[in-house]
Amino acid sequence: MQTKKTTSSALDFLKAREQAKNTWTSISHRLEHVKQIENIDYVNDSKAMDIDSTYFSLEQIRQPIVWLVGSPELEDNYTVFEKLCRYKVINIVQFGEASHLIQSQLGNYVDKFASFERLEDALDQANRWATKGSAVLFSPATPGFDRYNDFRDRGDHFKKLVNNL
């Protein structure tokens, strides 16, 4: 009887997680589908201001991913993304202040890596690297207060750029 109760709890947990995911995707700047261009999905996840939030987002996307990530403001351990980069993330485009941290920790696990100062240039590169059936995921994994007032300002900038593609 204990096994049946555990199984029921596991199913309840999975249902609750799916409901929560559906709620998050309806929040502006949290796994927000911005646009589809030539069968490439552009997803705004500007609210992902830390490693844990971005990890969750990378897990949720089912297509191959071109990941737009911000430059780390703090020394952090990005190796937690290794498995996701091996199997889901095909390319990484970093934007912001030059930092070799992400490239040194994850660059060997993706096909291509590039770094740009401006988000406009980073998105242009991500757009060139994206292929039909993939997703460009804007999930910075860092607050970004050096360039934007908050995640909303940053996410609005991303959406404007995507809508101008």
Side-chain angles (χ1 to χ4, degrees):
M1 189 141 311
Q2 181 68 17
T3 304
K4 194 173 199 179
K5 187 175 184 179
T6 303
T7 303
S8 177
S9 295
L11 289 174
D12 291 342
F13 171 77
L14 291 173
K15 285 179 188 177
R17 183 176 176 180
E18 188 61 28
Q19 287 174 338
K21 181 184 132 196
N22 291 336
T23 301
W24 290 328
T25 60
S26 67
I27 298 171
S28 188
H29 309 294
R30 185 66 174 138
L31 286 170
E32 174 187 21
H33 187 267
V34 177
K35 193 173 191 176
Q36 186 177 74
I37 304 170
E38 296 181 18
N39 203 27
I40 299 167
D41 290 315
Y42 291 81
V43 180
N44 173 21
D45 194 42
S46 181
K47 191 160 176 30
M49 298 189 298
D50 59 41
I51 285 178
D52 292 333
S53 297
T54 293
Y55 191 94
F56 174 82
S57 300
L58 287 167
E59 277 188 318
Q60 299 310 305
I61 304 290
R62 297 292 174 230
Q63 306 112 289
I65 300 167
V66 177
W67 177 22
L68 276 168
V69 63
S71 292
E73 294 173 19
L74 304 169
E75 289 289 319
D76 231 328
N77 184 3
Y78 286 83
T79 60
V80 298
F81 296 111
E82 179 184 327
K83 185 175 180 182
L84 290 167
C85 287
R86 285 180 187 264
Y87 299 106
K88 294 181 91 171
V89 177
I90 51 178
N91 300 311
I92 296 174
V93 184
Q94 180 180 313
F95 66 94
E97 292 293 321
S99 170
H100 300 287
L101 182 64
I102 295 174
Q103 184 175 16
S104 68
Q105 292 183 11
L106 299 175
N108 292 331
Y109 305 114
V110 294
D111 292 340
K112 299 175 187 167
F113 183 95
S115 185
F116 296 91
E117 180 79 18
R118 298 173 346 121
L119 180 56
E120 295 86 342
D121 300 325
L123 179 58
D124 285 344
Q125 183 63 63
N127 188 45
R128 284 192 296 275
W129 283 348
T131 58
K132 289 183 179 185
S134 67
V136 173
L137 175 63
F138 178 62
S139 192
T142 187
F145 295 131
D146 59 329
R147 294 177 177 260
Y148 298 97
N149 295 326
D150 56 24
F151 72 87
R152 290 174 197 87
D153 183 31
R154 179 172 64 189
D156 288 341
H157 185 213
F158 174 75
K159 290 192 292 187
K160 179 181 176 187
L161 294 172
V162 168
N163 284 316
N164 288 331
L165 287 176

